[in-house]
Amino acid sequence: MKGGIGVFLDQSSCALLRYLIGLQESETIMKISKELQQSRRKIYYHLEKINAAFPDHVEPIESLPRIGIRLSDSQRQVCRYLLSTIDSYSYIMNMDERMQLMLLYICIARERITLEKLMDLTEVSRNTVLNDLNEIRSRLSKEQYQMTLYVSKSQGYDLACHPLTKIQYIHSLLYSLFTEASKSFVSILEDKVSLFSGCQSLFSKDLAQFLSRQVYGIEKDLGKKINRSEIELMLKILPYMLLTYRNMSLEQEEKDAIVREFALVYERIEYGVAQKISQSLEEQFGLDLDEIEVSLIAVLLLSYRKDRDAHVTSQDFADLKKVVDAFIRHFELHSDFDLEKKEELAHDLLAHCKAMLFRKTYGILSRNPLVDQIRYKYDTLFRLTKSSSHILEEAWQIQLTDEDIAYLTVHLGGALRRSSSRKLTSPTVFLICDEGVSVQKLLMKQCQHHLPEKTISAVFTTEQFKSVEDLLEVDFLISTNEVTDTDLPVIQVHPILDFDDVLRLIHFAKYRSLTDSQKGFAMELDKLLASYVENGQEALELKQRLQNLIANELLASLASSDLETDLY
């Protein structure tokens, strides 16, 4: 490398690297600037840093006049290597990341937090830390948590708020970090927090592995299957939540008040399971949890989404079931959609809403990463779901966000009756999806709509697929995951199919191959529309209408072609 300048690549440099690696066609600096929301000057600055890290035998990345940038194979290979070498020693945190790290440290550290310790933690100057702290105060004043950052000689830096509010905030912060932050920053966070927190035992690999092994027993005792991605997040977040609680200096009266806040939890089976986990932790690691800490574990178990719940038919939830049934009836009465297997739908919705109510009660965040795709791809279904959601809001005295509505939309979308009566006679197609039962159902409906001539027989998780792979007689596979170790024909798509996915699916179903010309259709359409429509929202709406029109024409064309084949 030329002078080893690659060690100064920061998050923005990494974002540019990822964008360049993904380019299939030449892209101008102006377009890259808009996509990454960075100035052109910044893009050129990061290009200089990236080029400085290139080996001598590989030509630097240059933007050609009126053409832009497109990486050669050798440049793309070097860029991938640079990304793979970014670690906690070479990664430079931006302001947002420094603030997140400081807030996390302030919440969980048991020692007095001084300015010097924050400087050591973030590895920046005194003035930079002071500016970051001022920005933290400003942002906290605008958030819903009603927290104030203060400093005193006796305690150093700390957050003034209700004890449960601090726990809710730390859960929200960590949920965002573990689902959205770069891998390099998460690596820094985990290394530094473990080192500076003064409690390495809670972050030990042995404890993490032990908790992971407990999952099967937890689900067996609960009679429920927790969404896999959420149980993994829970195991990551739990040590931080316990440390946040232990970092508080609470009087017995304050602890008694928190115990009363958890009254709903003690009636649920999850509390008994949390007690068993606590007992196991004490036996294996000498880790003694008090009643509040056990309750926190129970709250997480109650709040996270379930793929299966054997208890939703119990009498305890009869009133909830009536509300869910009323929501389904309202949706059917006020829409042209027809639902099938409504009892199964009610069962799935009830399991989802039980967890949702506990999340609302205890302020536990659960983000829906597909909300924007669902809102645009299934705009009519989303709006009709939202108009019926007042049934749930009024009955349970809650307010549903667009993310909550999107989850409900997924459940309803997976239960829509197909309007086509086309006879399915072709070989079988199987789906592979680890995103949870509701997303699996919606994915199947999408594939059935766009491939009506195919028999979509089943949806597997990756684990289920590997166990039956040798027994399958299959035309091809459609997967939302990267499946590299199979000899069967497979195409990878998003859980919510975008327009490029639809084109590739139709082509793959016909020819069992992918063509480069189809991979960037949406990108090319963006370029074309940008030349004629200046308003971004209008361009997006026009793009969606064109895509729907083209997709319908392709579908009709494909059906006509198959009919001609059958006739002759």
Side-chain angles (χ1 to χ4, degrees):
M1 298 290 174
K2 303 172 185 176
I5 301 181
V7 297
F8 298 111
L9 298 179
D10 60 11
Q11 186 190 45
S12 298
S13 305
C14 294
L16 179 58
L17 276 171
R18 295 188 189 94
Y19 187 82
L20 294 177
I21 290 171
L23 284 181
Q24 298 297 325
E25 301 293 338
S26 298
E27 199 74 274
T28 65
I29 294 291
M30 181 174 288
K31 175 68 174 179
I32 295 173
S33 169
K34 290 180 179 178
E35 289 292 330
L36 297 181
Q37 296 184 335
Q38 297 182 36
S39 67
R40 284 180 290 175
R41 183 180 62 82
K42 279 287 188 182
I43 298 296
Y44 281 116
Y45 168 70
H46 291 302
L47 274 178
E48 286 182 10
K49 292 201 297 181
I50 292 169
N51 283 330
F54 268 37
D56 294 328
H57 66 277
V58 177
E59 69 278 10
I61 302 171
E62 294 182 356
S63 178
L64 301 178
R66 296 183 298 278
I67 296 176
I69 295 175
R70 184 181 180 183
L71 301 185
S72 66
D73 290 340
S74 58
Q75 288 173 331
R76 185 171 279 106
Q77 185 176 355
V78 173
C79 286
R80 288 197 178 105
Y81 172 76
L82 286 176
L83 272 181
S84 70
T85 58
I86 301 297
D87 56 24
S88 59
Y89 298 100
S90 57
Y91 185 83
I92 299 176
M93 292 180 286
N94 61 29
M95 182 181 183
D96 285 335
E97 291 169 336
R98 292 195 306 270
M99 290 193 298
Q100 289 166 339
L101 182 59
M102 284 193 286
L103 277 167
L104 186 58
Y105 178 46
I106 289 170
C107 285
I108 70 171
R110 308 177 80 169
E111 58 187 8
R112 178 170 168 266
I113 308 297
T114 64
L115 190 61
E116 288 71 25
K117 288 175 182 175
L118 294 177
M119 290 166 59
D120 290 339
L121 179 74
T122 55
E123 300 178 30
V124 293
S125 70
R126 182 186 187 89
N127 284 340
T128 301
V129 170
L130 287 172
N131 288 335
D132 290 347
L133 290 170
N134 286 332
E135 181 63 22
I136 287 173
R137 289 189 181 92
S138 174
R139 294 190 186 185
L140 287 178
S141 68
K142 301 171 185 175
E143 290 190 354
Q144 60 176 339
Y145 293 99
Q146 298 181 327
M147 297 191 303
T148 303
L149 176 66
Y150 72 94
V151 59
S152 65
K153 289 185 178 180
S154 60
Q155 296 179 319
Y157 287 92
D158 201 358
L159 294 173
C161 60
H162 188 280
L164 283 183
T165 298
K166 186 182 286 189
I167 292 173
Q168 291 168 354
Y169 176 77
I170 208 69
H171 181 277
S172 172
L173 175 60
L174 288 163
Y175 196 101
S176 299
L177 289 176
F178 286 132
T179 55
E180 298 172 5
S182 70
K183 291 182 180 179
S184 298
F185 175 59
V186 171
S187 176
I188 290 175
L189 182 148
E190 292 175 335
D191 289 344
K192 285 181 176 287
V193 164
S194 176
L195 180 64
F196 282 79
S197 67
C199 190
Q200 283 85 357
S201 60
L202 276 176
F203 298 100
S204 69
K205 290 184 178 179
D206 290 341
L207 180 60
Q209 291 171 355
F210 173 79
L211 289 172
S212 295
R213 291 194 298 269
Q214 295 290 304
V215 171
Y216 174 76
I218 290 171
E219 294 180 331
K220 185 177 180 182
D221 291 340
L222 288 175
K224 305 174 184 181
K225 187 171 183 61
I226 304 174
N227 181 271
R228 188 59 51 212
S229 63
E230 297 217 340
I231 194 69
E232 290 173 359
L233 275 174
M234 172 188 165
L235 299 182
K236 288 182 180 179
I237 291 172
L238 181 59
Y240 298 91
M241 292 184 68
L242 295 178
L243 276 179
T244 300
Y245 167 67
R246 294 184 175 196
N247 186 34
M248 302 177 194
S249 299
L250 300 176
E251 302 292 338
Q252 187 59 46
E253 185 178 344
E254 293 175 297
K255 290 186 177 181
D256 292 341
I258 295 174
V259 169
R260 289 193 294 272
E261 293 264 11
F262 289 130
L264 289 174
V265 174
Y266 304 136
E267 302 172 5
R268 306 261 64 92
I269 190 173
E270 281 79 359
Y271 182 72
V273 173
Q275 287 179 311
K276 291 179 65 174
I277 295 173
S278 173
Q279 184 178 350
S280 298
L281 288 174
E282 185 174 7
E283 293 172 355
Q284 293 289 326
F285 300 95
L287 188 61
D288 185 23
L289 305 184
D290 68 13
E291 187 173 10
I292 292 176
E293 291 172 316
V294 173
S295 300
L296 288 174
I297 296 176
V299 166
L300 293 180
L301 292 174
L302 283 161
S303 299
Y304 285 159
R305 291 180 296 123
K306 312 296 188 301
D307 289 339
R308 179 177 56 80
D309 187 345
H311 302 289
V312 292
T313 56
S314 67
Q315 195 58 35
D316 286 356
F317 301 104
D319 290 338
L320 294 185
K321 175 72 160 54
K322 291 178 182 177
V323 176
V324 168
D325 288 340
F327 166 72
I328 294 173
R329 285 196 301 273
H330 186 279
F331 176 84
E332 284 193 298
L333 285 172
H334 295 84
S335 76
D336 293 329
F337 292 115
D338 189 17
L339 299 172
E340 59 185 1
K341 299 181 179 178
K342 280 182 278 192
E343 194 58 35
E344 182 181 336
L345 170 62
H347 187 283
D348 292 342
L349 278 173
L350 185 54
H352 175 80
C353 290
K354 277 174 56 183
M356 180 181 71
L357 284 172
F358 276 101
R359 287 199 299 275
K360 296 290 183 183
T361 301
Y362 292 104
I364 299 299
L365 180 69
S366 178
R367 285 215 169 99
N368 188 341
L370 304 176
V371 60
D372 289 333
Q373 294 170 328
I374 293 169
R375 197 160 37 195
Y376 288 122
K377 178 75 175 179
Y378 297 99
D379 178 62
T380 301
L381 182 59
F382 180 87
R383 285 188 287 105
L384 289 169
T385 303
K386 191 168 188 174
S387 69
S388 296
S389 65
H390 73 89
I391 300 291
L392 308 179
E393 291 179 320
E394 292 172 4
W396 296 331
Q397 296 297 297
I398 59 174
Q399 185 172 356
L400 298 178
T401 65
D402 278 359
E403 293 185 332
D404 297 323
I405 302 296
Y407 276 129
L408 299 175
T409 303
V410 167
H411 281 285
L412 292 170
L416 294 181
R417 189 184 303 279
R418 293 187 64 205
S419 58
S420 172
S421 59
R422 192 187 306 268
K423 185 178 179 181
L424 305 176
T425 58
S426 70
T428 298
V429 175
F430 290 95
L431 310 182
I432 303 172
C433 177
D434 292 337
E435 301 293 334
V437 173
S438 56
V439 176
Q440 288 177 342
K441 289 181 179 179
L442 182 57
L443 177 64
M444 175 175 278
K445 295 296 182 182
Q446 294 175 87
C447 293
Q448 287 173 334
H449 173 72
H450 293 295
L451 302 175
E453 77 288 359
K454 299 298 179 186
T455 302
I456 314 290
S457 283
V459 187
F460 297 122
T461 63
T462 301
E463 183 179 357
Q464 291 169 338
F465 166 69
K466 297 309 296 182
S467 68
V468 299
E469 180 180 6
D470 296 339
L471 307 176
L472 296 179
E473 293 184 7
V474 57
D475 192 14
F476 63 92
L477 303 168
I478 301 172
S479 176
T480 60
N481 319 312
E482 186 176 0
V483 181
T484 57
D485 54 345
T486 181
D487 294 329
L488 298 172
V490 59
I491 177 173
Q492 186 176 353
V493 299
H494 297 92
I496 304 298
L497 300 181
D498 61 24
F499 187 68
D500 282 346
D501 287 332
V502 174
L503 288 182
R504 292 166 63 246
L505 264 180
I506 293 174
H507 186 273
F508 193 84
K510 196 76 173 174
Y511 303 107
R512 299 299 177 275
S513 66
L514 296 173
T515 62
D516 289 337
S517 62
Q518 289 175 314
K519 292 181 180 179
F521 186 93
M523 187 181 296
E524 290 299 319
L525 189 55
D526 281 336
K527 290 182 185 178
L528 181 63
L529 292 176
S531 302
Y532 297 93
V533 184
E534 292 184 359
N535 185 288
Q537 184 60 37
E538 291 178 359
L540 177 62
E541 292 174 359
L542 180 56
K543 173 186 173 183
Q544 291 169 350
R545 291 181 182 179
L546 287 171
Q547 288 178 336
N548 288 334
L549 178 63
I550 295 169
N552 290 334
E553 287 297 316
L554 281 172
L555 198 59
S557 175
L558 184 64
S560 175
S561 173
D562 287 340
L563 180 61
E564 290 175 3
T565 302
D566 292 339
L567 290 173
Y568 295 99

